[in-house]
Amino acid sequence: MFRRVRTYYWWCQIGGWMAFWLFSTLVSYMYSQSVTLQSLIDRTVFILAGIGVTHAFRLFILHRQWLQLRLDRLIWRMLLGVVASSVLITAIVDAYKYAFHLMTPQEKSFEFGRFFSVFIIILIWSLIYILWHYVEKERKYQFDRLRLESMVKELQLKTIKSQLNPHFIFNALNSIRALIEENPARAREAVTELSNILRNSMQAEKAETVSLENEVAMVRDYLALEMIRFEERLEVNLHIDPATLALPVPPLMLQTLVENAVKHGISRAVQGGRIDVVSHRVQGFHEIIVRNTGKLAGSGLEPGFGLRSTCQRLEILFGQEASFDIRDAGDRLVEARVRIPLAAQERLQREQSVQQAYKTF
């Protein structure tokens, strides 16, 4: 894909400057009725300088990640870049003419009109480049959104069929039935917890992201039901930084990891074990950790789908810096770790706020 983008860029870059070369030559011929070899060489030097400087300008833009900035911050940076590029091109052309003694008396002094002409050309180049970038970005956003919607729906179906499987529902109902006479108040709470889990699962296909607070609430309900079944065999520790509760995460991601910990860890241990759920900020990342008693060998997420869908959703929503891995953490512990760039979460949070405000308006 990146190779294809580079090919398109060079076709447009060289083709655009060559079109300008032909256009300026044609205009010169129409108005002066003469095109000399020297004027063609001078124009070619200008075109080569334009290609080199604008390409360097593009590399600078990509290196400084200007295209990720808001429009108000981007505009003045681009104007400064256009001015600097125009000065550089003018200097290169003047240096060429001075070296070969081709400068006219008028060209030996600074002319605003000559500089302004170069400025307009580079400004047009910059506008075309930015417009192409934003059109491509919007196209990719729409494509990724369709992929994400498809994956969320697939996850919803698989969650209903396998993650929230009949065994869990039957176990929860049996636990509730045992509580009805023994502890009616707790039985009513358990029914509410089960209905919350089912409702949140059914709503997962309607959202690209949910707040971590929503996911933690669902996990609390789920673990509360499992503690009825496992009793003292299950120890639960939640360490959630309040500053992370409002951050967006993929729906059912945390729920899937916790269910996996119960299914492949706690339920297989005769003595039971513990589950730790941690959410905190670490060096510019939002880190979510699910740690459980057990061994990784012979367990893991649902073959292929769970791991693949988690990684793909993280990459689509938060970029390639987001990561997910699951490993043995020693002392009979398995650790699943999700790392999401805080900058990407905050950006997505702002975009969703704007979209929500627009829908409300």
Side-chain angles (χ1 to χ4, degrees):
M1 178 179 178
F2 292 110
R3 184 176 300 174
R4 189 183 311 142
V5 170
R6 285 196 297 267
T7 301
Y8 289 158
Y9 162 75
W10 279 113
W11 273 108
C12 294
Q13 174 79 322
I14 296 175
W17 282 101
M18 288 302 299
F20 175 75
W21 186 92
L22 292 172
F23 174 76
S24 60
T25 302
L26 179 61
V27 170
S28 177
Y29 174 77
M30 290 173 60
Y31 282 91
S32 65
Q33 299 298 320
S34 63
V35 176
T36 64
L37 177 61
Q38 187 59 52
S39 66
L40 293 177
I41 294 175
D42 293 346
R43 199 166 287 115
T44 301
V45 170
F46 174 78
I47 295 301
L48 293 176
I51 292 175
V53 171
T54 52
H55 179 63
F57 185 29
R58 171 181 176 267
L59 294 178
F60 182 80
I61 291 171
L62 296 177
H63 177 70
R64 303 292 296 184
Q65 297 184 342
W66 283 5
L67 296 174
Q68 306 301 322
L69 299 173
R70 296 200 312 264
L71 191 59
D72 57 335
R73 294 185 177 182
L74 175 65
I75 289 176
W76 69 266
R77 285 178 171 85
M78 290 298 296
L79 286 175
L80 289 177
V82 170
V83 171
S85 299
S86 303
V87 170
L88 186 55
I89 291 175
T90 303
I92 292 173
V93 174
D94 286 351
Y96 150 74
K97 290 187 175 182
Y98 180 81
F100 290 94
H101 307 288
L102 299 173
M103 296 189 74
T104 64
Q106 293 80 9
E107 291 175 333
K108 290 182 180 179
S109 60
F110 177 79
E111 289 186 3
F112 180 77
R114 187 156 49 95
F115 168 78
F116 185 72
S117 299
V118 178
F119 175 84
I120 293 299
I121 294 170
I122 304 305
L123 181 62
I124 292 173
W125 180 93
S126 301
L127 292 175
I128 293 174
Y129 179 72
I130 293 174
L131 179 62
W132 177 85
H133 167 78
Y134 277 102
V135 169
E136 187 68 16
K137 184 178 180 180
E138 180 64 20
R139 186 192 65 80
K140 184 178 182 300
Y141 171 77
Q142 294 296 338
F143 176 73
D144 286 346
R145 186 172 181 178
L146 289 174
R147 284 180 59 201
L148 185 61
E149 289 176 356
S150 175
M151 290 175 58
V152 168
K153 289 180 180 179
E154 184 181 3
L155 178 65
Q156 166 67 8
L157 293 175
K158 287 183 175 287
T159 298
I160 294 173
K161 293 178 181 178
S162 60
Q163 297 297 331
L164 292 175
N165 54 65
H167 295 290
F168 164 71
I169 297 176
F170 292 153
N171 289 333
L173 290 175
N174 286 331
S175 299
I176 293 170
R177 183 181 62 181
L179 283 174
I180 290 176
E181 295 183 0
E182 179 182 334
N183 191 343
R186 181 68 187 96
R188 287 194 295 271
E189 292 177 1
V191 170
T192 301
E193 291 161 354
L194 180 58
S195 66
N196 289 340
I197 293 173
L198 295 175
R199 182 178 63 254
N200 288 335
S201 298
M202 295 298 293
Q203 291 176 345
E205 65 174 324
K206 301 177 182 178
E208 294 179 358
T209 63
V210 296
S211 67
L212 179 67
E213 184 175 13
N214 183 288
E215 282 284 284
V216 170
M218 185 174 178
V219 165
R220 288 183 190 274
D221 289 335
Y222 171 76
L223 289 175
L225 288 173
E226 292 292 29
M227 289 181 72
I228 297 174
R229 179 162 68 104
F230 288 102
E231 298 181 340
E232 69 277 0
R233 291 177 56 211
L234 176 58
E235 176 187 349
V236 175
N237 300 300
L238 300 179
H239 304 282
I240 310 297
D241 183 352
T244 64
L245 288 175
L247 296 175
V249 295
L252 297 178
M253 181 188 71
L254 182 59
Q255 172 71 16
T256 301
L257 296 179
V258 172
E259 286 188 29
N260 182 71
V262 172
K263 179 180 178 181
H264 298 292
I266 307 304
S267 64
R268 295 185 179 184
V270 176
Q271 300 300 323
R274 80 172 199 265
I275 292 178
D276 299 328
V277 180
V278 180
S279 172
H280 56 188
R281 296 169 177 249
V282 180
Q283 298 177 347
F285 283 85
H286 176 202
E287 194 170 72
I288 301 173
I289 300 172
V290 176
R291 191 181 297 116
N292 64 274
T293 303
K295 296 190 70 174
L296 188 59
S299 67
L301 296 174
E302 179 184 354
F305 177 77
L307 180 60
R308 176 171 52 84
S309 67
T310 299
C311 292
Q312 287 181 344
R313 287 196 296 161
L314 286 171
E315 181 178 351
I316 290 173
L317 287 169
F318 306 110
Q320 296 182 349
E321 292 187 22
S323 63
F324 168 75
D325 68 271
I326 184 168
R327 62 185 180 86
D328 283 312
D331 194 24
R332 292 188 56 80
L333 288 176
V334 175
E335 182 178 278
R337 184 186 300 263
V338 174
R339 283 170 60 87
I340 305 174
L342 283 169
Q345 282 184 306
E346 291 166 357
R347 172 184 54 78
L348 184 60
Q349 200 172 23
R350 287 195 302 270
E351 291 177 356
Q352 291 176 341
S353 298
V354 171
Q355 292 175 0
Q356 185 62 36
Y358 178 77
K359 289 179 181 178
T360 303
F361 177 78

